[in-house]
Each structure stands twice: as C-alpha cells, then as structure tokens.
Amino acid sequence: MRWPENGQGFIHPDDTPIATQLIPSPRVLKRVSFDGVYYHYVYGRLRFRLRPAMWLSIRIEEFEIGDQVETKGVGLERERFVATVWGMYYVQRKGCILYRLRRGEQLVPKLFAGDQLRLLTNKTTVRPPTTRYRAPNWNGEGETVPDTKLDE
C-alpha cells in the first residue's frame, strides 16, 4: 500500500503538484487507462498518473464532473435548479457518492446524492461496429461514364 507519508515515489514526477493536492481525500477519481507502469486518473479537467496502489471500488453512477444536472424537488422542501457537477466525494459512512454542484460561479453549500439529481448532459455514443462486411473485389475492369454525359 502506498501513502503520501511514505514518500511520493508512486506519483509520476511530472504530476506531483496535481496529485498531492488531490490525494489523500474522499474525492472520486476516475481511472481511465494503464500504460504498463502508471494508471492514468482524471478528476474533472485534472489528469495525473500513479503507480498501482490499493483503491476502493465503488458503484459507478451516471454523473461525472462537468455534467449539467437538475435537482429534483421534493414537495416544498427543495428548490429545483440546474447546475454543473463540480465535485464528487465518496462518503464511506453513507456508502455512496455525494456531489458538489455549482450554479454559475457560486458553489452550492449542500451536497447531493445521485437520486436527487437528473442528468441533462447528453452522453450518447455510437457503439463499436459488430457486423463484419465482406470487402468487395474489383479488378479495375468495367465501363466508365464519359465526362460529357455527366454534363447533360
């Protein structure tokens, strides 16, 4: 197990300033790839690399930093508003991710659970092709249309 108090050798040398600001913390870091030596992590626009270390696997929700969301109102208790996900924190005692929202330039002081939010950001993606097509064979022979017929 690697901890910051045991040194920073597990952090990529170029990413030390960013990584030491983000870890240790309850932030939910997204691991996006592994290059054979370092795991690549993302937290919003911040990116950094760490050597393999112990981590806590959590249930992924549909929200990510930068997503536009709408809060769900509950009766007269909660105002509905549109905001951007600014931070993601795993609260171990509750066993869930809580989200920090930003409305314009102002941070909302209350944290929100995923079931209190509705995603407004369109995240549609095209799935990879699953059908294989036979490549056509053409030997270059055949009739061609003269350019004069195209003008007609």
Side-chain angles (χ1 to χ4, degrees):
M1 199 148 75
R2 296 183 168 113
W3 296 98
E5 62 263 16
N6 298 91
Q8 298 175 349
F10 69 103
I11 303 171
H12 190 282
D14 297 340
D15 301 337
T16 302
I18 296 170
T20 54
Q21 289 180 6
L22 295 174
I23 57 174
S25 76
R27 291 179 181 94
V28 177
L29 307 172
K30 183 176 181 180
R31 203 168 58 176
V32 292
S33 65
F34 182 65
D35 63 15
V37 178
Y38 292 96
Y39 280 107
H40 294 244
Y41 290 88
V42 175
Y43 186 75
R45 291 189 311 242
L46 301 175
R47 297 178 176 278
F48 59 96
R49 295 162 284 187
L50 302 175
R51 289 185 183 271
M54 289 186 69
W55 54 278
L56 177 63
S57 178
I58 60 173
R59 184 178 57 85
I60 300 300
E61 295 181 351
E62 62 184 326
F63 309 108
E64 293 183 21
I65 294 176
D67 286 347
Q68 192 173 33
V69 295
E70 178 183 34
T71 60
K72 296 179 182 177
V74 178
L76 298 173
E77 291 181 29
R78 210 173 296 136
E79 168 192 4
R80 291 176 62 176
F81 60 89
V82 173
T84 302
V85 175
W86 185 79
M88 297 172 59
Y89 308 94
Y90 182 74
V91 180
Q92 192 165 3
R93 64 185 162 78
K94 292 188 176 194
C96 68
I97 300 172
L98 296 181
Y99 299 90
R100 168 84 59 211
L101 303 180
R102 176 190 283 177
R103 292 175 74 180
E105 294 301 315
Q106 187 174 7
L107 291 178
V108 178
K110 180 183 185 293
L111 295 174
F112 291 83
D115 62 352
Q116 298 172 322
L117 304 173
R118 186 172 68 93
L119 183 65
L120 298 177
T121 302
N122 185 358
K123 292 186 175 185
T124 57
T125 57
V126 178
R127 63 181 165 80
T130 56
T131 306
R132 296 186 58 155
Y133 294 98
R134 197 170 42 108
N137 293 327
W138 184 60
N139 61 6
E141 295 180 12
E143 293 183 32
T144 58
V145 178
D147 290 339
T148 55
K149 287 194 173 190
L150 293 176
D151 295 334
E152 296 175 357

